[in-house]
């Protein structure tokens, strides 16, 4: 197969949802349908010691949440599909934001009973901002939930996007019979093997007892209304992110997944072009290799102190042993160890193409946002950082473990989940985060991965502001209400007590130019 054909085969997407909508279960079933795993349902198997393929961290297994982004590849219908399973918890929205910069489309999972929830809305806005196609899977149809029309209306009004149901449910909860497959003109039954075929007038070709059921009659009336009055299918609108194909099913029961996958591979985009810092455009089919680091994860295998930098390949072909330049430092190095993620296993990589997500073994060389390339002329735009809102002072409980303490902080900060600061004169370490759960995960990982108990002293919410013109800063400006600290790069940052303290400072020192991150 040729170079361009290999790239066309790649479909790379992220799954976004509110916690508990069924995102991890859907991920697992996609892997099952792609033949990457042999057994689904391990999300529910916590008592048996089996856990969701994409929930590898112990704190995730214990609490049943996803707090990291996992990457998995599988084959389906001749395509190479890369799934990025994003954190479901809102405290890790920064990680999800960066993940969405590394994909070409997104799948939005919605709980049929809950509809659009706050975290779904936040993540959808990021996908919308990037202009990437969004496919919608409405989950848990085997339980009672909102009516299909109500769900579609909620999606359209809340998210400002048109909908096109690719399937339509027949019944719900105890009366759930299956879904009408719009493309194939058939009903895929929930508990029967053979689909029920329609003729051109949407009458069943072979009589079936379901025709006497009220749920079936209601579903057919609704479906015909969708056919006549609903939004038209428009491939260009899907590509722009202005129309979302909608699927109904039950991830836990592995139902509705095949219908989704069949449509997804037909209409999800192959790898797209990326913009560089100087405004240039790099096409995936460009021969020069390039990619960017969007995630760093330490200790994925507790038996080995490994550290993986996740790279999205933007252009060209990766070959093991190739020389790549890290643009931030200008240093060239041979990439002799790279890995591909195949469900719950990894394999050493010899070749990969634009659109693939690969793991580079890292000894502390890489940072989030780094560009690696075989050309000296390509450097991609920086990935965004969020301004943290919560802050804690942190120290090692055992002073004899300072070495482990600082090594753990350094590695976990480089992953991007928490931010590191220190006071100007005393060098007191301070951590900043978007949400409280990030501190809990930090404490858990310091204990379990670096054998270090930590003491965390909350100092509450602060308003962090960076300084454009640091040369005008004096020690007198640092007070209890406007604490001056250094960030991990040595930049000066003010931590203001509240909005009043920020306004007071700006009035007193108008010469100081402050700014925030995202």
């Amino acid at each position: 197969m040729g170079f361009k054909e290999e790239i066309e085969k790649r479909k790379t997407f992220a799954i976004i949802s509110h916690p508990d909508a069924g995102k991890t279960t859907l991920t697992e079933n996609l892997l099952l349908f792609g033949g990457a795993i042999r057994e689904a349902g391990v999300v529910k198997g916590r008592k048996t010691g089996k856990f969701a393929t994409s929930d590898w961290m112990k704190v995730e297994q214990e609490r049943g949440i996803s707090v990291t982004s996992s990457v998995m590849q599988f084959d389906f219908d001749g395509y190479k599909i890369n799934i990025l399973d994003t954190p479901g918890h809102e405290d890790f929205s920064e990680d999800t934001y960066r993940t969405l910069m590394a994909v070409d489309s997104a799948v939005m999972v919605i709980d049929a009973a809950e509809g659009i929830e706050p975290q779904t809305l936040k993540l959808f806005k990021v996908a919308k901002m990037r202009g990437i196609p969004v496919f919608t899977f409405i989950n848990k149809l085997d339980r009672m939930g909102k009516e299909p029309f109500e769900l579609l209306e909620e999606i359209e009004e809340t998210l400002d996007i048109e909908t096109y149901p690719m399937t339509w449910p027949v019944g719900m909860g105890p009366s759930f019979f299956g879904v009408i497959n719009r493309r194939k003109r058939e009903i895929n039954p929930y508990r029967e093997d053979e689909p029920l075929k329609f003729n051109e007038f949407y009458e069943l070709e072979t009589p079936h007892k379901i025709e006497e059921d009220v749920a079936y009659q209601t579903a057919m009336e609704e479906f015909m209304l969708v056919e006549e009055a609903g939004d038209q299918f428009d491939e260009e609108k899907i590509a722009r992110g202005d129309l979302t194909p909608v699927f109904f099913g039950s991830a836990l029961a592995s139902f509705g997944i095949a219908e989704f996958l069949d449509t997804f591979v037909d209409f999800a985009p192959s790898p797209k072009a990326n913009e560089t810092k100087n405004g240039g455009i790099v096409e995936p089919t460009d021969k020069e290799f390039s990619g960017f680091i969007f995630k760093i994860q330490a200790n994925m295998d507790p038996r080995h102190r490994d550290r993986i930098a996740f790279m999205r390949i933007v252009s060209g072909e990766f070959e093991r042993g190739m020389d790549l330049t890290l643009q931030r430092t200008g240093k060239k190095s041979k990439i002799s160890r790279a890995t591909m993620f195949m469900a719950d296993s990894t394999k050493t990589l010899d070749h990969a193409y634009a659109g693939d997500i690969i793991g580079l073994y890292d000894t502390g060389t890489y940072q989030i946002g780094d560009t690696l390339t075989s050309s000296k002329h390509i450097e991609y735009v920086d990935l965004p950082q969020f301004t943290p809102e919560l802050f804690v002072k942190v120290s090692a409980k055992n002073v004899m473990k300072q070495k482990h303490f600082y090594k753990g902080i350094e590695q976990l900060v480089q992953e991007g989940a928490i931010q590191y600061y220190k006071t100007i004169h005393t060098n007191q370490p301070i951590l900043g985060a978007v949400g409280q759960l990030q501190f809990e995960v930090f404490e858990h990982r310091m204990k379990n991965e670096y054998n270090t108990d930590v003491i965390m002293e909350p100092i509450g919410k602060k308003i962090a502001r960076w300084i454009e013109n640091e040369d005008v800063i004096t020690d007198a400006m640092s007070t209890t209400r406007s604490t001056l600290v250094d960030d991990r790069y040595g930049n000066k940052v003010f931590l203001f007590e509240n909005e009043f303290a920020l306004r007071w400072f700006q009035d007193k020192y108008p010469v100081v130019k402050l700014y925030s991150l995202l």
Side-chain angles (χ1 to χ4, degrees), residues 140-418:
K140 305 183 183 180
L141 262 292
D142 50 344
R143 305 179 191 178
M144 293 306 294
K146 296 180 179 181
E147 294 298 324
F149 275 125
E150 184 183 352
L151 287 162
L152 293 183
E153 186 178 357
E154 194 174 324
I155 292 169
E156 293 188 351
E157 290 186 359
T158 308
L159 305 180
D160 190 26
I161 190 171
E162 294 178 20
T163 59
Y164 186 90
M166 303 299 297
T167 61
W168 191 262
V170 178
M172 184 188 300
S175 67
F176 184 50
F177 178 79
V179 293
I180 301 168
N181 188 327
R182 205 167 176 180
R183 286 179 85 193
K184 293 188 175 180
R185 299 181 74 89
E186 64 187 24
I187 294 180
N188 301 120
Y190 178 47
R191 299 193 187 281
E192 298 177 23
D193 291 333
E194 293 300 317
L196 310 180
K197 300 284 186 182
F198 285 120
N199 62 25
E200 59 184 309
F201 304 108
Y202 278 107
E203 298 165 340
L204 291 180
E205 290 182 350
T206 304
H208 191 282
K209 60 182 180 182
I210 186 62
E211 292 174 286
E212 302 168 13
D213 198 291
V214 174
Y216 171 79
Q217 294 164 8
T218 302
M220 289 306 298
E221 288 173 10
E222 292 173 341
F223 179 71
M224 295 314 296
L225 185 59
V226 168
E227 279 277 278
E228 292 167 18
D231 292 319
Q232 295 299 304
F233 187 83
D234 189 323
E235 203 168 336
E236 288 185 8
K237 282 187 176 180
I238 293 173
R240 292 198 306 266
D242 292 333
L243 181 146
T244 178
V246 179
F247 305 81
F248 293 86
S250 167
L252 193 60
S254 303
F255 184 77
I257 314 292
E259 294 83 351
F260 162 76
L261 266 177
D262 283 338
T263 304
F264 176 82
V265 295
D266 286 344
F267 298 106
S270 297
K272 294 194 278 191
N274 266 48
E275 188 177 344
T276 62
K277 277 187 176 179
N278 61 9
I281 296 294
V282 177
E283 296 289 344
T285 51
D286 289 352
K287 290 291 185 179
E288 293 279 11
F289 176 89
S290 68
F292 62 87
I293 306 294
F294 67 93
K295 177 180 176 61
I296 294 172
Q297 187 72 61
N299 307 324
M300 289 185 71
D301 184 348
R303 296 166 298 180
H304 307 99
R305 287 285 181 225
D306 63 337
R307 179 183 156 99
I308 301 290
F310 292 79
M311 179 168 66
R312 159 70 192 237
I313 302 178
V314 178
S315 65
E317 178 182 359
F318 173 84
E319 293 180 343
R320 184 154 63 132
M322 71 190 308
D323 289 327
L324 294 179
T325 299
L326 176 59
Q327 295 291 44
R328 176 174 47 83
T329 63
K331 290 183 179 177
K332 185 181 283 190
S333 60
K334 186 183 292 290
I335 308 297
S336 54
R337 293 185 72 199
T339 187
M340 181 71 79
F341 303 91
M342 311 289 288
D344 55 354
S345 64
T346 60
K347 69 172 185 178
T348 301
L349 195 63
D350 292 318
H351 293 274
Y353 296 86
D356 283 336
I357 308 294
I358 67 174
L360 304 180
Y361 288 90
D362 181 22
T363 56
T365 305
Y366 304 122
Q367 294 179 11
I368 289 171
D370 276 347
T371 298
L372 282 91
T373 175
S374 57
S375 162
K376 293 185 178 177
H377 309 294
I378 299 173
E379 188 166 10
Y380 293 110
V381 294
D382 293 331
L383 295 184
Q385 268 195 309
F386 280 39
T387 299
E389 297 175 0
L390 297 177
F391 295 84
V392 297
K393 291 180 182 177
V394 63
S395 55
K397 201 168 190 178
N398 183 347
V399 293
M400 303 297 289
K401 293 198 172 179
Q402 293 284 46
K403 187 176 177 182
H404 287 166
F405 172 73
Y406 280 105
K407 182 182 179 184
I409 282 187
E410 179 189 8
Q411 293 199 347
L412 296 181
V413 164
Q414 283 175 337
E415 291 183 15
I418 52 171

Side-chain angles (χ1 to χ4, degrees), residues 12 84 98-104 130 292 294 312 355 357:
T12 301
L84 279 70
R98 288 192 291 259
T99 298
L100 286 170
M101 305 297 281
V103 298
D104 302 305
R130 283 209 60 218
F292 62 87
F294 67 93
R312 159 70 192 237
I357 308 294

